[in-house]
Structure formats: structure tokens, C-alpha cells
Amino acid sequence: MKYLLPTVAGCASVALIGTLAVTAPTASAATTSPDVSKEALNVSKEGLNVPGARDSSDSTATAANQSATSNLPNIFKSQTALASAKVPDIVNASASASAGSVNNVSAGLTSGSDEAVPSEGSAPSETEQAPAEDADNEDPKSDDEKSDDAGNEGAKDSSEESETQDEDDISGSVRQKTEDGVNIALISDVLDVPENNPSLVGFTFSQAKSNIRIQVRIKHGSDWGNWDTLDEEQQEEAQNKGSEPMTVSNASAVQMRILGDSAPSEAELVLVDPKRDAGDAQAVAENAPVELDDQVSGDSAGTESAPEQSTEDSADAEATSAENVDAAAGATVTNQNYVPGSSTVDTVAKKVSKPKIGSRSSWGAKAYRGSPDYASGIKQAVVHHTSGSNSYSAADVPGIIRGIQAYHQQGRGWNDIGYNVVADKYGRLWHARGGDVSKAVIGAHVAGHNTGTFGISVLGTYNSAAPPKKTRDAVASAIAWKFSLNGISKATKSNLVGHRDLGQTDCPGDAFYAKLGEMRSTVNSILKTGEQPSDKKDDSKKDDDKKTEKPKAKTSIEKYAEKNKLGKALGKEYDVKGVSGAKAQKFEKGTVYWSKKTGAYHLSGAIASAYKGDAVTDLGLPTSAEKGGLKGGGAAQRFEKGSFYWSKDTGAHYTSGVIMKYWGDKGTVKGHLGYPKSDVVYKKGRGEQLFQGARLVWAEGYGTTEFSAKGSIAGGVSDDNAPGGTTPPGDKSTDDKSPADSGEGSADDKDSKDDKSKDDSKKDDKSKDDSKKDDKSKDDSKKDDKSKDDSKKDDSKKKDKPTKAEKIAAQRASIIKDAKANLGVKYVWGGTSPKSGWDCSGYTQYVYGKNGIKLPRTTSQQRYAGKEISLKDAKAGDMIWIPGHIGIISETKGQMYDAGSTRTNTTKRSYSWMLDRGAKVIRVVG
């Protein structure tokens, strides 16, 4: 059996499991709420039968070993890290059977007695000089012995309880084992995951009465991956126990299993689908990545080989960091960088500018539950990764962060997402946990170390490969900024650490952890200057010298960019294609457009992204700055011939002309039509645009009409005369209430072309006969005229040559004659000849063509084939037109000849119904 799998995200885990019981509060900025579901986890016989379900367990305790051998002094390590000298194959529960839980370890933990008292192997080494006052906080030896006794007693009780509970195991009588002999306590069905966006998966439970291990595997296409072991996330504000979430991208299915002697109680699989939001792309567009040129790169020449240990491994430096970074000892710490007698540590940190950080509202954050708690300052930065897929796109990022928050709040009962800031692989930073990000918001990212620390996590898993350099620089810039705000003038191995340094986990991954030294160098380079300088500083100085030697006047665009603080230019000034005399130039924070007529204005974000192609030629240049604060947080910007409007739900679209005026009369975004959902399109006397509340269609001579907003916008109009038995316009008394028909078919009708060519040849023959008749009449008139005088010759010539008015009258009469001659020809949509039938535009094209007037194929084109005149001046032989239909005004007042319908065929009838629709009279004769 397969379940629909929503998406979830998380930190140092490959997957997560969690219990859902709480509904997230609604935040005004969030428009899309993730779907969070839960399934009670048991032993699925179908799941056991899936190939690979019993594959060997992964018992390598790499995470625990890494934590036990980290570079951090013991005073900063978690008690679980100090307790882990050896790691068993299975994650161990607490010593007490009644309060057992999974410890915070990637592959396993030691027994409860070992956890209570640090082993000798974990005692501080000579190089890890802990502050002297820490010794006063150690438990007396007698207490240690009591703790050992209590731990042993608890272990005994646990063993006895396990024996009595074997038969009560919720896995029932099915006691399956992996290929390497480990019991499978719980296993899920194969679970489907969303195909169009990333999802997240996690696990929650109440109590674990035996050692358990949480494992997940992912299916890509038809191939299953290996079983990966997940870490448990322990947090003070959690309402249950469980793992962190794992992001799943480009997968077809997942499966979860719990290894251990007995299953944990209230075990549930948590699924989160953050879904896509219309504002996700806008959020990404407005949140510029941290640029490499704005950082001192740790990979730049000489940085990687810098003697970091000479400054960080000294006893003084370690003691200084140890004294000032013990977050667990409390947040109220002053003089963080001062140690009496130390000459190696600066006491004042220079101010660093804040890097670009995307707002919580931009990714659709739900509200913080209650009010955020603050410490007096931070003393340590902790680097994480969220685990899971690295194959996400930039547009996926807001949704993944929403998913992490949904899992933390609804799956685990936390107040908010645990991390203070999240970074993505594209180098963007995002404000995660609620509260003032410039202050010391107490997070939920490292159990026992949340107060006085700054938690920043990179989306993805980084065991085999580190995040891109631009992402590492972004993380370093955020840490440097936070350090400068809190008086920390130097990054060390003790105040810039990985999650694994404080708990039993492999977070932030082996490859990422190996780059922390580089990141400390980058942070220190930024802190040293108090700014985020360019790696090419010397080159810029040379350029400045050149400018001094040869001063160059700034252009209007450069002056505007400087005034509006748009940052440095990203390219040279260029001509704007499609707008005569217009110039543009890209800068870090937008693109400036200028012309002599409009002056200079810049575009940024979603409007800048949408301003291309037809939008440029349709609108011209911007004539105002972007204006925010519209309904629902929207924005707008005026251009020469229209305006762009943006909202989180609709994105950026432009409008102009008569449709824009109609929309304005209805209240623009405040009215019932709301924001535009498509760009306006005008073509051959017709315009269309989709809005939130309706689809507006304008036709020249017909006005603007509102239609349902549902359905697609299609160019052209519907054909009521098309095959299907519908009655065309004007065919019944109530027809003035029906939409106009197209009245025409394809201009590529092969049969119609052949027929037309034959008819044209006949027409030519008839024209020859007519001309012969005309010549005969001329000869007869000459015979009748017996006068030989020159004056009489002149008179006869004048009589032989008709006036212009006579020619026009004759042409009109001929048109009416041909129109009458073809009454009864069957109506065929797409037809163009009397032999095979025709539609309205095919009929008019044929009749006028026989009289030397070549008309285009469609009604919309025929509308512009001549001159529009008033109805009172109309004469027989003129055309009468409405959108989608056309006819020939007859010699009888108020009537016309047209192709009719499948019921009437070509006929003579009243055109009053067309007048009711704003008919236009078109004159092509004369």
C-alpha cells in the first residue's frame, strides 16, 4: 500500500519521523500552507516483501567517533559526546525502561551509566585547558559513584523489563531480521512522494523501551538507495521525541524502518508537502546571493595555507575561547574577548555591515508561537546542514524552509523553526527563526547549547562534498556580522564550530566540517577590516588611480545608480532594443533605464525579470520608481504606455490601453478584478487579459466584457457557426445575447484554394465577356454618332469614358449582383468558394474578389481592409462588421447579404442584431 507523501526538511539527518498533533498558527505573510500528515507506523508485511527491505543495517558509528575526537575543549562538549568512547551497533535508550528514548547519536550511544559520568578517555587533555572554575562545578566523587550505581540499577531494570515486554512488542508475532541479524521492529509500506516539488519525511515517538535505530531509504526511478540511519533531535521545547526532517527531491518513493528489540510507543511517520507558492520565484528574485567579489575568500591565494594553528591552538587562545563561549553556562557574559594578561586577543571588534538576508515573509513563514526569547548576546556560531537531497532548484528553497518549519512546529511541537538563519547552495541567506535576527534570539538547533549561540544551517547533505564556495562565503559573512555585533573580534575553533562538536551527530557532514578552517579565515578577514572587501582590492586601487589621471564624467545612469545606492555596475551601458534612444545598465541591486524623454528609473526583483520581449516594446521605459504597499503587499511601477503590477499570488504582469482603463474604472487591485494574472495582449482589433476576478475581453466597436476567470486565455474568438449544430448569431430573435461567432475557418483550406482558383478563372472569362460587351456598346455608340466634327469627337469621347462616380456605382451594382447570384450556397466553416461552400469572410472575399477588390481572409483583417464610415452614409456594396462576423449591405434598407448559417446557408437578412453589438460599416469600394 502506498501513501501520499508530503514533503519535510531537517538538519543533521537523512530523514525524519514525527508525531503531528498541533496546527500551526496562521501568519499574515504566508499564502501557502504545507500539507502535514501522519501515519501510525507498524510492521507492514507488504513493506517486508519489497526487495531490499531486509538489507544489512549500517552499524558504522562515524558520527559518534567524530564527535568524541573533535577539536573542541571538553567544557563545550555535550554530556553525550563526553560519554561516547565506544559506540554500539544500535542506538541505546535511557537507562530507565519507563522513560527510555533514543539518544542524540548518529549510529549509537553507550549505556545509561556511561552517559551519566564522563569516562576517563573523555577527560580534558593538556592542550584542552578548561577554565579553572569549571572544576568547582564537577560532581563529588561520591555523587559519581551514586550515579554509577543508579545507572547500573537502571540498566538492570531495563533488562528485566525487556524480558517481560517481548511478547507485547507492537511488531506482533512477525519478528523479522535484517541480513546481518538485527531485528526489524517497525517497517512502513513503500510511500509515494510528490513529483513536482521537494518533500520531507520524519519520525516521532513517545518512549523507546529498547535500543532502536531509525533508517530511511529513497527510490529514484526503479532503483532503491541504501538504508541511511537518522539522528534524533532533542530539544527542550519539543513535545515528543523524534528525528530531524529529511528533504526528498526527484524521488519516486521512500521507505522507513525501525531496528531494535521492540518498537517505540506512539510511533508515527510524519510527511510534509510544502507545496509550491506563487511567490516563491519572487522571493528568490528579490534575495540576491552573497557575491564572491564582496568577500575575502578563504580559497584565495595564501589563505588556505595560512598558519591558522599558530593563532588558534595556543593555550591562551583556547582558554580565552573556553571562558567566553560556554553557552551552556548562561548567556549573560561580558567582555567576551578579554582575558587578563592575554595579548593575543583584541578587545574590540570592528563593525561589519549586514549581508543580504531574505525575510521570513518572503518564504511564507508561519507565526512564532508565543514570543521569541533573547539572550544578552552570542558567544558562539554553530554550523549545520539540514540533510537530504542536494538536487533542489533555487525556486524550491522557500518551500523547503516552509517544510522544515511545518515539521518543527506541527510534527515536534516547537515554537518555530530551530535555526536562526538558513543558507542555500546558491549563496542566499534566509531569516529562519522568528525574532530580531540582529539580536541573540534563542534558537532550537543544539540541545543544551541554544542560549548564547547563533545557529546557521545549509540546505542539503555535505558528507562527500562541501557546499559551493559562494555558500560558504555567505555563511561566513553572516557569522562575521553576528560576531561584530557581539564584540567578538576573532573566529576560533571554539567559537565557530560544527554541530558535531556539541552533540552526537555527523552534522554538518565530513566535507563541510573540513572547510570550517577556511571559513574561520574568511570571517577573520572580514572582522579585521570591518567590512566585506573585494579580493581584487589592489586592482580596484589601480583603477581608481587611472580614473584620477583621466577623469571621466558620470552618465545620467551612473549618477542615478549612485544616488539610489544600487551598488557597483555589472556591465557596460547598452541600447534598449525596441525603444529608440533608450539606454540601460545593470547594477548589483537593479537595472537602470534612461531616455531623454523619461529620465532614469530602475527596475528590480520580479518586475525586472518580467520586463523583456514584448513588454519592452509594448510599454516603453519606466516613468516612476516601484511603489509598494498595495493590497496584499503588492507593488506597481508605471511605464510610458502602461504599468506593471506584482503580488505574491500572481507574480508580475503588465497592462495597458483600453483594458487598463476599464480595470482602473473598476478600482484596480482594490476592486473585484484584483491583480492581473497574465500580460495584456492586443491583436487585430481585439484585446485580452486575465485577472484574479475575471477575464477581460475587448473588441473594437464592441467594448470590454468580463468573462469567468477560469479557463485559459485563447487568442481569437469562438466560432458559433463551427460544426456542432449551434445556431450562429442573428439566426434567431434572442441571438443578440449570444457571443459573436468567428465566422471563418482556416485560411489554409486546400480544397478552398483549388475551388477559388477555378472560380477566379471563370471570373476572368466573365470579365472578358463583359469587356467585349462594353466594347460593343462603345462601337454602337460610335456608329450612332455620325458627326465628324472635332468637337463632336470630343463629346463622344467624354460619353465613352464614364466618370469616377459612374464607375463606383457600376462596381457597387456588380457586387450586389454577385452577392445575389450566390444566395443559397451552403455554409461551410473554413470554406471560400460557391462550389464547396463558405463562411462569412470567405463569402465576402469571393464576391469582392470577382469585382477587382482583393480582401484578406479573416473578418478581423477585413475590418481594416477599408475605411470606417458612419451608418447613415452606408450604401449598397459596403461591408458591415462586428467581431467575428461580416456581411455585405444590400440594396434594401436594414438588410445584408451574408453566408448565413448551416440552417439558412447564404441568405439575405436583417443586420439589426449586429447594430446592437456596435457594428462598424467598412467601405472598400472607391
Side-chain angles (χ1 to χ4, degrees), residues 741-784:
D741 66 315
S742 66
E744 65 212 17
S746 170
D748 298 326
D749 189 320
K750 185 175 180 182
D751 294 334
S752 298
K753 286 184 178 180
D754 293 339
D755 290 337
K756 181 180 178 182
S757 125
K758 293 177 182 179
D759 289 316
D760 286 343
S761 64
K762 292 180 179 179
K763 177 191 70 176
D764 293 338
D765 293 338
K766 185 176 180 181
S767 298
K768 291 179 181 179
D769 293 337
D770 291 341
S771 64
K772 289 180 179 179
K773 292 178 180 179
D774 293 339
D775 291 339
K776 184 177 180 181
S777 66
K778 291 179 182 178
D779 292 338
D780 291 341
S781 67
K782 288 182 180 180
K783 291 179 180 179
D784 293 339

Short mmCIF file of all heavy atoms in Angstrom, two decimals, residues 741-784:
data_model
loop_
_atom_site.label_atom_id
_atom_site.label_comp_id
_atom_site.label_asym_id
_atom_site.label_seq_id
_atom_site.Cartn_x
_atom_site.Cartn_y
_atom_site.Cartn_z
N ASP A 741 -19.77 34.96 -33.31
CA ASP A 741 -19.07 33.81 -33.87
C ASP A 741 -17.83 34.29 -34.62
O ASP A 741 -17.69 35.45 -34.95
CB ASP A 741 -19.98 33.05 -34.83
CG ASP A 741 -20.33 33.87 -36.05
OD1 ASP A 741 -20.64 35.06 -35.88
OD2 ASP A 741 -20.26 33.33 -37.16
N SER A 742 -16.95 33.34 -34.90
CA SER A 742 -15.74 33.72 -35.62
C SER A 742 -16.05 33.95 -37.08
O SER A 742 -15.40 34.74 -37.75
CB SER A 742 -14.68 32.63 -35.49
OG SER A 742 -15.11 31.46 -36.13
N GLY A 743 -17.03 33.20 -37.59
CA GLY A 743 -17.44 33.40 -38.96
C GLY A 743 -16.44 32.98 -40.00
O GLY A 743 -16.59 33.27 -41.17
N GLU A 744 -15.36 32.33 -39.60
CA GLU A 744 -14.35 31.98 -40.57
C GLU A 744 -13.60 30.74 -40.13
O GLU A 744 -13.56 30.39 -38.96
CB GLU A 744 -13.36 33.13 -40.74
CG GLU A 744 -12.56 33.38 -39.48
CD GLU A 744 -12.19 34.84 -39.31
OE1 GLU A 744 -12.81 35.67 -39.96
OE2 GLU A 744 -11.31 35.10 -38.50
N GLY A 745 -13.01 30.08 -41.07
CA GLY A 745 -12.20 28.92 -40.76
C GLY A 745 -10.76 29.14 -41.09
O GLY A 745 -10.30 30.26 -41.20
N SER A 746 -10.05 28.04 -41.29
CA SER A 746 -8.63 28.12 -41.60
C SER A 746 -8.40 28.73 -42.96
O SER A 746 -9.12 28.46 -43.92
CB SER A 746 -8.01 26.72 -41.54
OG SER A 746 -6.72 26.74 -42.05
N ALA A 747 -7.37 29.58 -43.03
CA ALA A 747 -7.02 30.19 -44.31
C ALA A 747 -6.20 29.25 -45.17
O ALA A 747 -5.84 29.56 -46.28
CB ALA A 747 -6.23 31.47 -44.09
N ASP A 748 -5.91 28.05 -44.63
CA ASP A 748 -5.06 27.09 -45.33
C ASP A 748 -5.86 25.93 -45.93
O ASP A 748 -5.34 24.85 -46.15
CB ASP A 748 -4.01 26.52 -44.36
CG ASP A 748 -3.09 27.60 -43.84
OD1 ASP A 748 -2.81 28.53 -44.60
OD2 ASP A 748 -2.66 27.49 -42.69
N ASP A 749 -7.16 26.12 -46.12
CA ASP A 749 -8.01 25.07 -46.67
C ASP A 749 -7.62 24.79 -48.11
O ASP A 749 -7.83 25.61 -49.00
CB ASP A 749 -9.48 25.52 -46.59
CG ASP A 749 -10.43 24.39 -46.92
OD1 ASP A 749 -10.12 23.62 -47.85
OD2 ASP A 749 -11.48 24.30 -46.26
N LYS A 750 -7.04 23.62 -48.35
CA LYS A 750 -6.51 23.29 -49.68
C LYS A 750 -7.61 23.25 -50.73
O LYS A 750 -7.49 23.78 -51.84
CB LYS A 750 -5.77 21.95 -49.62
CG LYS A 750 -5.10 21.58 -50.93
CD LYS A 750 -4.29 20.30 -50.76
CE LYS A 750 -3.62 19.93 -52.07
NZ LYS A 750 -2.86 18.66 -51.96
N ASP A 751 -8.73 22.57 -50.36
CA ASP A 751 -9.83 22.47 -51.31
C ASP A 751 -10.38 23.84 -51.67
O ASP A 751 -10.72 24.12 -52.81
CB ASP A 751 -10.95 21.60 -50.72
CG ASP A 751 -10.49 20.16 -50.56
OD1 ASP A 751 -9.58 19.74 -51.29
OD2 ASP A 751 -11.06 19.46 -49.70
N SER A 752 -10.45 24.69 -50.63
CA SER A 752 -10.98 26.02 -50.85
C SER A 752 -10.11 26.79 -51.83
O SER A 752 -10.58 27.53 -52.68
CB SER A 752 -11.07 26.79 -49.54
OG SER A 752 -11.95 26.12 -48.68
N LYS A 753 -8.79 26.61 -51.72
CA LYS A 753 -7.87 27.31 -52.60
C LYS A 753 -8.06 26.86 -54.04
O LYS A 753 -8.07 27.65 -54.98
CB LYS A 753 -6.43 27.07 -52.15
CG LYS A 753 -6.05 27.82 -50.89
CD LYS A 753 -4.58 27.61 -50.55
CE LYS A 753 -4.17 28.40 -49.33
NZ LYS A 753 -2.75 28.22 -49.00
N ASP A 754 -8.19 25.52 -54.19
CA ASP A 754 -8.37 24.98 -55.54
C ASP A 754 -9.66 25.51 -56.15
O ASP A 754 -9.70 25.90 -57.32
CB ASP A 754 -8.39 23.45 -55.50
CG ASP A 754 -7.02 22.90 -55.11
OD1 ASP A 754 -6.03 23.65 -55.26
OD2 ASP A 754 -6.95 21.74 -54.68
N ASP A 755 -10.74 25.46 -55.35
CA ASP A 755 -12.03 25.92 -55.85
C ASP A 755 -11.96 27.40 -56.23
O ASP A 755 -12.52 27.84 -57.23
CB ASP A 755 -13.12 25.71 -54.79
CG ASP A 755 -13.42 24.22 -54.61
OD1 ASP A 755 -13.13 23.45 -55.54
OD2 ASP A 755 -13.92 23.85 -53.53
N LYS A 756 -11.28 28.14 -55.38
CA LYS A 756 -11.21 29.58 -55.60
C LYS A 756 -10.47 29.89 -56.90
O LYS A 756 -10.83 30.76 -57.68
CB LYS A 756 -10.52 30.26 -54.42
CG LYS A 756 -10.43 31.76 -54.57
CD LYS A 756 -9.74 32.38 -53.38
CE LYS A 756 -9.63 33.89 -53.58
NZ LYS A 756 -8.91 34.53 -52.47
N SER A 757 -9.39 29.09 -57.12
CA SER A 757 -8.61 29.34 -58.32
C SER A 757 -9.44 29.06 -59.57
O SER A 757 -9.36 29.75 -60.56
CB SER A 757 -7.35 28.50 -58.22
OG SER A 757 -7.16 27.70 -59.23
N LYS A 758 -10.29 27.98 -59.48
CA LYS A 758 -11.16 27.67 -60.62
C LYS A 758 -12.16 28.79 -60.82
O LYS A 758 -12.42 29.22 -61.95
CB LYS A 758 -11.89 26.35 -60.39
CG LYS A 758 -10.96 25.14 -60.39
CD LYS A 758 -11.72 23.87 -60.08
CE LYS A 758 -10.81 22.66 -60.01
NZ LYS A 758 -11.54 21.42 -59.68
N ASP A 759 -12.77 29.24 -59.70
CA ASP A 759 -13.77 30.30 -59.81
C ASP A 759 -13.15 31.58 -60.33
O ASP A 759 -13.77 32.36 -61.05
CB ASP A 759 -14.41 30.54 -58.44
CG ASP A 759 -15.32 29.37 -58.07
OD1 ASP A 759 -16.07 28.92 -58.93
OD2 ASP A 759 -15.26 28.94 -56.91
N ASP A 760 -11.91 31.84 -59.92
CA ASP A 760 -11.23 33.05 -60.38
C ASP A 760 -11.03 33.01 -61.89
O ASP A 760 -11.11 34.03 -62.59
CB ASP A 760 -9.87 33.21 -59.68
CG ASP A 760 -10.05 33.64 -58.24
OD1 ASP A 760 -11.15 34.11 -57.90
OD2 ASP A 760 -9.09 33.51 -57.48
N SER A 761 -10.72 31.79 -62.42
CA SER A 761 -10.53 31.68 -63.87
C SER A 761 -11.84 31.96 -64.60
O SER A 761 -11.87 32.59 -65.65
CB SER A 761 -9.99 30.29 -64.23
OG SER A 761 -10.93 29.29 -63.91
N LYS A 762 -12.94 31.43 -64.01
CA LYS A 762 -14.24 31.71 -64.59
C LYS A 762 -14.55 33.20 -64.55
O LYS A 762 -15.12 33.78 -65.44
CB LYS A 762 -15.34 30.94 -63.85
CG LYS A 762 -15.25 29.44 -64.06
CD LYS A 762 -16.36 28.73 -63.30
CE LYS A 762 -16.30 27.23 -63.49
NZ LYS A 762 -17.37 26.54 -62.74
N LYS A 763 -14.13 33.78 -63.40
CA LYS A 763 -14.37 35.21 -63.22
C LYS A 763 -13.64 35.99 -64.31
O LYS A 763 -14.15 36.97 -64.87
CB LYS A 763 -13.90 35.64 -61.83
CG LYS A 763 -14.02 37.12 -61.58
CD LYS A 763 -13.30 37.52 -60.31
CE LYS A 763 -11.80 37.41 -60.54
NZ LYS A 763 -11.04 37.89 -59.37
N ASP A 764 -12.40 35.56 -64.59
CA ASP A 764 -11.61 36.24 -65.61
C ASP A 764 -12.31 36.15 -66.98
O ASP A 764 -12.35 37.10 -67.77
CB ASP A 764 -10.21 35.65 -65.71
CG ASP A 764 -9.41 35.94 -64.45
OD1 ASP A 764 -9.77 36.91 -63.74
OD2 ASP A 764 -8.43 35.21 -64.19
N ASP A 765 -12.85 34.90 -67.27
CA ASP A 765 -13.55 34.72 -68.53
C ASP A 765 -14.76 35.63 -68.61
O ASP A 765 -15.08 36.23 -69.65
CB ASP A 765 -13.99 33.26 -68.70
CG ASP A 765 -12.79 32.34 -68.87
OD1 ASP A 765 -11.71 32.84 -69.27
OD2 ASP A 765 -12.94 31.12 -68.59
N LYS A 766 -15.49 35.70 -67.51
CA LYS A 766 -16.69 36.54 -67.48
C LYS A 766 -16.31 38.00 -67.65
O LYS A 766 -17.01 38.78 -68.31
CB LYS A 766 -17.43 36.33 -66.16
CG LYS A 766 -18.75 37.07 -66.11
CD LYS A 766 -19.49 36.75 -64.82
CE LYS A 766 -20.81 37.51 -64.77
NZ LYS A 766 -21.54 37.23 -63.51
N SER A 767 -15.19 38.37 -67.03
CA SER A 767 -14.74 39.76 -67.15
C SER A 767 -14.43 40.09 -68.60
O SER A 767 -14.70 41.19 -69.09
CB SER A 767 -13.50 40.00 -66.29
OG SER A 767 -13.83 39.78 -64.95
N LYS A 768 -13.83 39.08 -69.33
CA LYS A 768 -13.51 39.30 -70.73
C LYS A 768 -14.80 39.50 -71.55
O LYS A 768 -14.88 40.36 -72.42
CB LYS A 768 -12.74 38.11 -71.28
CG LYS A 768 -11.32 38.01 -70.71
CD LYS A 768 -10.59 36.80 -71.26
CE LYS A 768 -9.19 36.67 -70.67
NZ LYS A 768 -8.48 35.47 -71.19
N ASP A 769 -15.81 38.64 -71.22
CA ASP A 769 -17.08 38.77 -71.93
C ASP A 769 -17.70 40.12 -71.67
O ASP A 769 -18.26 40.77 -72.57
CB ASP A 769 -18.05 37.66 -71.51
CG ASP A 769 -17.55 36.28 -71.96
OD1 ASP A 769 -16.76 36.23 -72.92
OD2 ASP A 769 -17.96 35.28 -71.35
N ASP A 770 -17.63 40.53 -70.37
CA ASP A 770 -18.21 41.83 -70.02
C ASP A 770 -17.50 42.95 -70.74
O ASP A 770 -18.12 43.93 -71.18
CB ASP A 770 -18.13 42.05 -68.52
CG ASP A 770 -19.08 41.10 -67.79
OD1 ASP A 770 -20.01 40.58 -68.43
OD2 ASP A 770 -18.87 40.93 -66.56
N SER A 771 -16.19 42.79 -70.85
CA SER A 771 -15.42 43.85 -71.52
C SER A 771 -15.76 43.91 -73.00
O SER A 771 -15.79 44.97 -73.62
CB SER A 771 -13.92 43.63 -71.31
OG SER A 771 -13.51 42.44 -71.94
N LYS A 772 -16.01 42.69 -73.60
CA LYS A 772 -16.40 42.66 -75.01
C LYS A 772 -17.74 43.35 -75.21
O LYS A 772 -17.95 44.08 -76.18
CB LYS A 772 -16.49 41.22 -75.50
CG LYS A 772 -15.12 40.56 -75.64
CD LYS A 772 -15.26 39.13 -76.14
CE LYS A 772 -13.90 38.47 -76.30
NZ LYS A 772 -14.04 37.05 -76.78
N LYS A 773 -18.65 43.08 -74.24
CA LYS A 773 -19.95 43.74 -74.33
C LYS A 773 -19.81 45.24 -74.24
O LYS A 773 -20.45 46.01 -74.93
CB LYS A 773 -20.89 43.23 -73.23
CG LYS A 773 -21.28 41.78 -73.42
CD LYS A 773 -22.18 41.33 -72.27
CE LYS A 773 -22.58 39.86 -72.45
NZ LYS A 773 -23.43 39.40 -71.33
N ASP A 774 -18.92 45.65 -73.32
CA ASP A 774 -18.68 47.09 -73.16
C ASP A 774 -18.12 47.68 -74.45
O ASP A 774 -18.49 48.79 -74.87
CB ASP A 774 -17.74 47.35 -72.01
CG ASP A 774 -18.37 46.99 -70.68
OD1 ASP A 774 -19.62 46.94 -70.63
OD2 ASP A 774 -17.61 46.79 -69.69
N ASP A 775 -17.20 46.94 -75.09
CA ASP A 775 -16.61 47.43 -76.33
C ASP A 775 -17.66 47.55 -77.44
O ASP A 775 -17.67 48.49 -78.25
CB ASP A 775 -15.48 46.49 -76.79
CG ASP A 775 -14.29 46.54 -75.86
OD1 ASP A 775 -14.16 47.56 -75.13
OD2 ASP A 775 -13.49 45.57 -75.87
N LYS A 776 -18.57 46.53 -77.45
CA LYS A 776 -19.61 46.54 -78.46
C LYS A 776 -20.52 47.75 -78.30
O LYS A 776 -20.93 48.41 -79.27
CB LYS A 776 -20.43 45.25 -78.38
CG LYS A 776 -21.49 45.13 -79.47
CD LYS A 776 -22.21 43.80 -79.36
CE LYS A 776 -23.26 43.67 -80.45
NZ LYS A 776 -24.00 42.38 -80.36
N SER A 777 -20.84 48.04 -77.00
CA SER A 777 -21.70 49.18 -76.75
C SER A 777 -21.02 50.47 -77.16
O SER A 777 -21.66 51.41 -77.64
CB SER A 777 -22.12 49.22 -75.28
OG SER A 777 -20.99 49.46 -74.48
N LYS A 778 -19.69 50.46 -76.97
CA LYS A 778 -18.95 51.66 -77.37
C LYS A 778 -18.98 51.83 -78.91
O LYS A 778 -19.13 52.93 -79.43
CB LYS A 778 -17.51 51.56 -76.89
CG LYS A 778 -17.39 51.67 -75.40
CD LYS A 778 -15.90 51.54 -74.99
CE LYS A 778 -15.78 51.60 -73.48
NZ LYS A 778 -14.38 51.43 -73.06
N ASP A 779 -18.80 50.68 -79.60
CA ASP A 779 -18.82 50.75 -81.06
C ASP A 779 -20.18 51.20 -81.58
O ASP A 779 -20.29 51.98 -82.55
CB ASP A 779 -18.49 49.38 -81.67
CG ASP A 779 -17.04 48.99 -81.41
OD1 ASP A 779 -16.23 49.91 -81.16
OD2 ASP A 779 -16.74 47.78 -81.43
N ASP A 780 -21.25 50.66 -80.92
CA ASP A 780 -22.60 51.03 -81.34
C ASP A 780 -22.82 52.53 -81.16
O ASP A 780 -23.46 53.19 -81.99
CB ASP A 780 -23.64 50.26 -80.54
CG ASP A 780 -23.63 48.78 -80.92
OD1 ASP A 780 -23.11 48.43 -82.01
OD2 ASP A 780 -24.14 47.97 -80.11
N SER A 781 -22.28 53.04 -80.04
CA SER A 781 -22.46 54.47 -79.80
C SER A 781 -21.71 55.29 -80.85
O SER A 781 -22.15 56.36 -81.25
CB SER A 781 -22.00 54.86 -78.40
OG SER A 781 -20.59 54.69 -78.29
N LYS A 782 -20.59 54.72 -81.28
CA LYS A 782 -19.81 55.44 -82.30
C LYS A 782 -20.55 55.42 -83.65
O LYS A 782 -20.53 56.39 -84.42
CB LYS A 782 -18.44 54.80 -82.46
CG LYS A 782 -17.52 55.08 -81.29
CD LYS A 782 -16.15 54.46 -81.54
CE LYS A 782 -15.22 54.75 -80.36
NZ LYS A 782 -13.89 54.14 -80.58
N LYS A 783 -21.19 54.25 -83.96
CA LYS A 783 -21.94 54.14 -85.20
C LYS A 783 -23.12 55.10 -85.22
O LYS A 783 -23.47 55.68 -86.25
CB LYS A 783 -22.43 52.72 -85.41
CG LYS A 783 -21.30 51.74 -85.71
CD LYS A 783 -21.84 50.33 -85.88
CE LYS A 783 -20.72 49.35 -86.18
NZ LYS A 783 -21.22 47.95 -86.34
N ASP A 784 -23.76 55.19 -84.08
CA ASP A 784 -24.91 56.08 -83.98
C ASP A 784 -24.49 57.53 -84.15
O ASP A 784 -25.27 58.38 -84.58
CB ASP A 784 -25.62 55.89 -82.65
CG ASP A 784 -26.28 54.52 -82.56
OD1 ASP A 784 -26.52 53.90 -83.62
OD2 ASP A 784 -26.54 54.07 -81.42
#
